[in-house]
Amino acid sequence: MSNKMWGSRFSSGPDAIMEDINASIDFDKRLYAQDILGSKVHCQMLVATGIISSEDGEKITHGLDTILSEMEAGKFEFSRALEDIHMNVESRLAELVGDAAGRLHTARSRNDQIALDFRLYVRDTALEFENALQDLQLALAQKALEFNDALMPGFTHLQTAQPITFGHHCLAYVEMFGRDCSRMRDARLRMNECPLGAAALAGTSFPIDRHMTAREMKFDHPMANSMDAVASRDFVLELLSASAITAINLSRLAEEIVIWCSAPFKFVKLSDKFSTGSSIMPQKRNPDAAELVRAKVGRIVGALTSLLIVMKGLPLTYSKDMQEDKEQAFDAFDSLGLGLAAMAGMIRDLEPQVDNMEKYAASDFSTATDLADWLVRVADLPFRQAHHVTGQLVALASARNITLDEIPLADMTKVEARISQEIYDVLSAKNSINSRTSYGGTAPDNVKQQALRWLDILQSNKEVP
């Protein structure tokens, strides 16, 4: 039996395997709200331009509202034989309103329909990510303000480098996620043009009003080239790219939480809300939420790579290959949305173990740079010479298994005669962080100011300067 949507060109139905490979309804049914919105607006435009009668327009609109209600209530029966969301809606519309339903597809194609549906969906998703990222930033900024002066070690190569504050570390991610948010916003603004009315690829001979349909769906304007409108998926690629970068930043923070929760560190503690136990080791508390956020990166980067490969060799305009643009994108966007929510929850939940962090902040000669800076600033040594002297003092302390501030002054002056008692003022971790007052530095007052600046931006929805 032929598919009635195809008309008389085909005399028989598809093979079962063709139906399996061709059908997309299993995943594109999530676009039902966007598809019905686009159809309602298209119908309004057809009536406004006199292409269809107002009577038919009313029937179609009422039928579409009924279908939307059925879908939202979970009462709509989707059919794989009808392939996709468009044909499922159109078939049900014909059952509800009869011949008038056949007029809805005037001056459009499934090519511009799916381009519209997916663009609407991706635009909404980008906005959801902006909001989720700002919520995560807010959680981090609040933590930064609360722990603006809590000492912890800063690392390079995962080796103790210099003392910093926990608040400063939190603000580093506020900045990173701020750029992620900006990328989401840029992508959303760039994709905000309407493909509806491009029809199959060449436009239409009907006197449609594309500016009206674009305006009704809050697009900035219609897409200027009908071929580009149906052939382009760069709007999906761009959001997937921004999502992949965001996921990588999320993963870096998740990795740090995993490390910080481990027994050798014990820098932070997660409550039972974001931890799990072991089936065999009753003492275990595992940061599984962080580990799963870390793992989501593979799915998101994989979706980006997959769509890049699908699109790389396609001539203009539409090819069925482009049906593969949605399933992995949906999975990637779901994964990122879940990861952002989980991370915001973890940040609000975690409790910094301040005593443990402070103990390690002064370990492994973390104030050696402060000693070198003092030699430059007070003793007037060239930095390279000061670096060499500091290295000798570190070697001395290491050999004796003592800290830098435990080296007697007499021994220090044997290495460099210009060292005075004042040197001990810069060798504590607390004095070290207090001295880092340069813009963007870890001094507690700096951290407090930056945290308050971000809280003001995030709580009042201001643009980042």
Side-chain angles (χ1 to χ4, degrees), residues 322-393:
M322 291 164 68
Q323 185 167 290
E324 292 296 311
D325 62 352
K326 287 176 282 298
E327 194 167 8
Q328 292 190 65
F330 289 153
D331 180 78
F333 295 150
D334 289 346
S335 294
L336 182 59
L338 184 58
L340 286 167
M343 185 57 74
M346 278 187 285
I347 293 301
R348 291 191 169 96
D349 180 74
L350 66 80
E351 298 178 15
Q353 305 300 290
V354 176
D355 290 343
N356 285 338
M357 291 194 298
E358 184 172 346
K359 179 178 68 174
Y360 282 101
S363 67
D364 291 334
F365 314 110
S366 65
T367 58
T369 305
D370 298 273
L371 194 158
D373 287 347
W374 184 91
L375 291 169
V376 172
R377 187 173 57 252
V378 178
D380 198 30
L381 269 68
F383 182 78
R384 284 301 169 203
Q385 184 180 347
H387 187 282
H388 180 70
V389 169
T390 301
Q392 289 179 290
L393 292 172

Side-chain angles (χ1 to χ4, degrees), residues 26 99 159 188 219 255-256 259-260 279 283 309 339 347 360 365 409 423 434 436 451-452:
D26 292 341
D99 290 344
Q159 305 295 314
R188 182 167 57 86
F219 287 105
E255 169 72 1
E256 294 203 296
I259 292 171
W260 293 344
S279 63
Q283 84 282 7
I309 292 170
I347 293 301
Y360 282 101
F365 314 110
L409 180 61
I423 194 70
N434 286 334
R436 305 292 170 180
L452 289 170

Side-chain angles (χ1 to χ4, degrees), residues 230-391:
V230 299
S232 296
R233 293 296 184 270
D234 53 358
F235 65 96
V236 193
L237 287 168
E238 187 168 9
L239 192 63
L240 281 172
S241 178
S243 297
I245 296 170
T246 300
I248 289 168
N249 288 337
L250 273 178
S251 182
R252 296 181 73 181
L253 179 52
E255 169 72 1
E256 294 203 296
I257 291 174
V258 171
I259 292 171
W260 293 344
C261 286
S262 67
F265 281 80
K266 293 184 179 178
F267 283 1
V268 302
K269 181 180 179 181
L270 288 173
S271 76
D272 294 350
K273 295 178 182 179
F274 292 93
S275 303
T276 64
S278 165
S279 63
I280 189 173
M281 296 169 284
Q283 84 282 7
K284 292 294 293 298
R285 178 187 289 273
N286 302 321
D288 282 6
E291 292 172 3
L292 289 167
V293 168
R294 185 176 60 185
K296 295 290 184 185
V297 177
R299 302 171 75 134
I300 297 166
V301 174
L304 171 61
T305 303
S306 177
L307 186 54
L308 285 168
I309 292 170
V310 167
M311 297 301 300
K312 73 171 183 63
L314 296 186
L316 298 183
T317 54
Y318 184 83
S319 297
K320 197 67 171 182
D321 311 50
M322 291 164 68
Q323 185 167 290
E324 292 296 311
D325 62 352
K326 287 176 282 298
E327 194 167 8
Q328 292 190 65
F330 289 153
D331 180 78
F333 295 150
D334 289 346
S335 294
L336 182 59
L338 184 58
L340 286 167
M343 185 57 74
M346 278 187 285
I347 293 301
R348 291 191 169 96
D349 180 74
L350 66 80
E351 298 178 15
Q353 305 300 290
V354 176
D355 290 343
N356 285 338
M357 291 194 298
E358 184 172 346
K359 179 178 68 174
Y360 282 101
S363 67
D364 291 334
F365 314 110
S366 65
T367 58
T369 305
D370 298 273
L371 194 158
D373 287 347
W374 184 91
L375 291 169
V376 172
R377 187 173 57 252
V378 178
D380 198 30
L381 269 68
F383 182 78
R384 284 301 169 203
Q385 184 180 347
H387 187 282
H388 180 70
V389 169
T390 301

